[in-house]
Amino acid sequence: MRTILMIYLTEKLRMKDEEAADWYHEFIALCYATPLLGALIADVFWGKFMTILVLSLVYCCGNGVMALTSVGKWFTAGETEEEGLVSYTPQIWGPLLGLHLIALGTGGIKPCVSSFGGDQFMSSEGARVQRYFSMFYFSINAGSTIATLLTPELRSMPCMGESTCFPAAFGVPAFFMVLAVTVFVLASRWYVRIPPLGNPIVDVAKVTWTMYFGKEDPEQVYGEKKVSETKQLYRVLAIFIPFPFFWALFEQQGSRWIVQAGRMNGKLGGFTIKPDQMQVFNPLLILVLIPFFETIVYPLMRKIGLPTSAIFRMILGMVLVAASFLVCGFIELAMEERVASWNADHVSDQRTLRSLDSDSQLHILTTLPQIFLITSGEILCSITGLEFAYAYAPVSMKSVCQSFFLLTNAFGNVITIIFSKATSRDLYLYFMWAGIELFAAGLMFFISRQVHQSLDNFKTNRANAAEDEENLEMTKK
């Protein structure tokens, strides 16, 4: 969806770049705000399995609405002619409805899918859980690689009398989503299903009020375990504070980076690389770099004495993301210099970044270094963040903790919308974002120094208690 959304908004719905970018980031923000709702439904009412099933069907409906309403001649708001073919502009209510359904569906299942997979392991299988989260992320990006290659080709071919085929680009993912739900249901008899454990948010609110405003001892009112879990939740959430800044930069791959790529030369032999197809390198690199990090980078770091803790990896990831925007800024500077050089040589034919012929610009593959850096940062930050949210969260709050981690993405997209209005010149924005991300890395280092010992102590005590329970159960058998 996000691969072609920016192109759909600008080319099909005729939005300006800035308006389309706001729509894009608002959609992503909504996708990552709804996980809190999904987690509450799973933990209080339906459990993870049923929540995943129902909201996946909502997701399928959203994709279906996007496919149907993108058939411009059925829901037209205007038309133009391109290369002898009619190009209809669909009515705006279609994507409004479809994107909201998709945001509810995908957001609702996000905290449940990863934690549901983690539930299939015993508490003593910590190494397997870490590998699971890497493989989980690997599988997501395997699908993303195929989608990123396929959907730009589908949307650019003519169909139904139009010069583009967005119905196919939206419809094919809808079909595969239905297929995935079918497989999920067929395999359901082998799943470990943990029943709903109640509403942890209400319990956390009560404990918090008593801790800071109540006259009673919270441990006497709610018990030592519940108070300890509440404190642990706040420690985990404290580590999440810098994450919105990470997502604010990361999500611009689908908006501002596509706009930059659209101004570059995409010709490669007899093939033209489309701006939205450059996004394929992110999931493709994920597939290559995850096993590389697991088998080479992390063991090498241990061998030379570098820390491989979750917090260190996340800080390092943020530094790499900042570096990617520095590279992006220098590329933008080189592009501006090419425009200035053209204008100096062609006084009567002045151009801008948008109007300069792409053959005179940098090649689109020049952006590969920044994609490599941001992808490496994603592995260190995003995968580790998911693992951290699951490993350190109290047992009764795992889905909620996952949803809070995902909620940082929503805040990040809001930050992008606000801060991107600071200047209209992309060059300044890229360097500004790099500085903001370095600040976020420093903030995470500072916060981790305050809470890391307590985080580890809680995790160790919980693991020991769980191991004692498992040994007792084996003894009884």
Side-chain angles (χ1 to χ4, degrees):
M1 174 60 66
R2 66 174 64 190
T3 303
I4 58 170
L5 181 57
M6 192 74 178
I7 301 295
Y8 182 65
L9 296 175
T10 54
E11 294 187 4
K12 196 67 176 174
L13 298 184
R14 314 292 179 186
M15 291 185 182
K16 295 181 179 179
D17 289 345
E18 295 77 12
E19 182 186 6
D22 285 350
W23 266 65
Y24 176 88
H25 288 291
E26 286 166 8
F27 167 65
I28 300 299
L30 192 57
C31 287
Y32 287 94
T34 48
L36 191 58
L37 175 62
L40 289 175
I41 292 173
D43 287 340
V44 179
F45 302 107
W46 295 346
K48 297 186 186 76
F49 173 80
M50 189 55 65
T51 302
I52 293 170
L53 177 58
V54 173
L55 293 183
S56 291
L57 295 175
V58 174
Y59 189 178
C60 293
C61 290
N63 273 309
V65 169
M66 289 294 292
L68 289 173
T69 59
S70 64
V71 181
K73 61 183 178 182
W74 293 353
F75 307 97
T76 184
E79 60 183 73
T80 57
E81 187 171 326
E82 298 176 4
E83 300 178 359
L85 293 171
V86 175
S87 179
Y88 296 97
T89 301
Q91 294 180 13
I92 198 68
W93 67 265
L96 269 176
L97 176 60
L99 291 175
H100 278 83
L101 286 172
I102 291 171
L104 176 60
T106 187
I109 67 175
K110 281 182 185 296
C112 303
V113 171
S114 56
S115 58
F116 185 67
D119 290 345
Q120 312 307 306
F121 298 91
M122 298 175 65
S123 58
S124 57
E125 298 178 297
R128 288 188 176 185
V129 171
Q130 180 178 343
R131 284 196 297 273
Y132 155 72
F133 277 104
S134 291
M135 292 308 299
F136 172 73
Y137 215 82
F138 184 94
S139 63
I140 289 175
N141 283 276
S144 181
T145 300
I146 297 170
T148 309
L149 282 171
L150 182 62
T151 50
E153 292 299 324
L154 290 174
R155 64 92 179 165
S156 60
M157 68 182 187
C159 74
M160 304 181 74
E162 295 192 58
S163 57
T164 57
C165 197
F166 283 98
F170 292 132
V172 170
F175 167 77
F176 281 109
M177 187 63 194
V178 171
L179 185 63
V181 173
T182 303
V183 173
F184 177 71
V185 172
L186 291 176
S188 61
R189 64 174 181 164
W190 291 290
Y191 299 146
V192 174
R193 301 192 201 182
I194 297 176
L197 300 175
N199 190 336
I201 297 295
V202 173
D203 291 340
V204 167
K206 290 178 180 177
V207 173
T208 303
W209 179 268
T210 306
M211 285 170 56
Y212 293 103
F213 304 104
K215 297 179 180 179
E216 307 94 336
D217 183 350
E219 291 189 0
Q220 291 182 352
V221 178
Y222 298 104
E224 181 183 352
K225 181 174 181 291
K226 191 161 288 186
V227 173
S228 175
E229 289 181 343
T230 300
K231 290 180 179 179
Q232 178 71 355
L233 175 65
Y234 284 131
R235 295 185 199 110
V236 173
L237 295 184
I239 296 295
F240 292 167
I241 290 174
F243 260 97
F245 298 105
F246 164 76
W247 294 118
L249 276 72
F250 179 81
E251 293 295 352
Q252 291 184 57
Q253 289 183 94
S255 58
R256 198 166 297 279
W257 282 22
I258 285 185
V259 172
Q260 184 186 58
R263 300 165 179 166
M264 304 177 82
N265 181 6
K267 294 179 181 178
L268 189 64
F271 179 74
T272 299
I273 303 174
K274 300 175 180 64
D276 43 342
Q277 284 182 320
M278 286 303 295
Q279 292 184 85
V280 76
F281 288 104
N282 174 259
L284 200 59
L285 282 170
I286 287 284
L287 299 181
V288 175
L289 291 178
I290 283 179
F292 179 74
F293 271 76
E294 290 287 339
T295 60
I296 297 177
V297 175
Y298 294 149
L300 182 61
M301 288 172 65
R302 297 186 192 100
K303 188 174 182 179
I304 64 177
L306 285 175
T308 57
S309 66
I311 291 173
F312 179 82
R313 282 181 279 157
M314 290 187 287
I315 292 173
L316 181 58
M318 289 185 176
V319 172
L320 291 179
V321 171
S324 75
F325 269 70
L326 286 175
V327 173
C328 195
F330 285 117
I331 287 176
E332 188 76 10
L333 180 61
M335 292 170 66
E336 289 189 1
E337 288 176 349
R338 291 202 171 205
V339 174
S341 176
W342 172 278
N343 289 338
D345 295 337
H346 304 80
V347 178
S348 61
D349 185 18
Q350 297 292 287
R351 301 292 182 90
T352 64
L353 273 173
R354 180 174 292 279
S355 62
L356 182 65
D357 185 67
S358 63
D359 292 335
S360 302
Q361 267 296 6
L362 292 175
H363 197 273
I364 199 169
L365 293 181
T366 311
T367 62
L368 282 178
Q370 70 198 48
I371 296 173
F372 176 82
L373 286 170
I374 204 168
T375 303
S376 299
E378 178 187 2
I379 291 172
L380 290 163
C381 235
S382 183
I383 297 178
T384 306
L386 278 172
E387 174 197 335
F388 179 86
Y390 184 85
Y392 284 88
V395 173
S396 63
M397 303 179 188
K398 288 190 181 293
S399 289
V400 170
C401 209
Q402 292 277 321
S403 67
F404 274 117
F405 174 71
L406 296 169
L407 188 62
T408 62
N409 193 311
F411 287 128
N413 279 275
V414 173
I415 289 172
T416 300
I417 294 170
I418 296 172
F419 278 56
S420 292
K421 301 185 187 305
T423 175
S424 59
R425 191 176 177 188
D426 287 349
L427 175 65
Y428 296 152
L429 284 173
Y430 291 134
F431 290 124
M432 178 194 76
W433 285 118
I436 289 173
E437 188 67 6
L438 289 174
F439 164 77
L443 180 61
M444 178 170 283
F445 175 77
F446 173 77
I447 294 172
S448 67
R449 298 279 292 179
Q450 315 303 314
V451 301
H452 76 93
Q453 192 63 54
S454 298
L455 280 167
D456 289 336
N457 289 342
F458 179 91
K459 183 183 176 184
T460 301
N461 293 337
R462 185 186 63 191
N464 292 337
E467 187 175 350
D468 291 342
E469 289 180 8
E470 290 170 5
N471 291 336
L472 183 61
E473 287 294 324
M474 293 178 65
T475 302
K476 290 180 179 179
K477 292 178 181 178

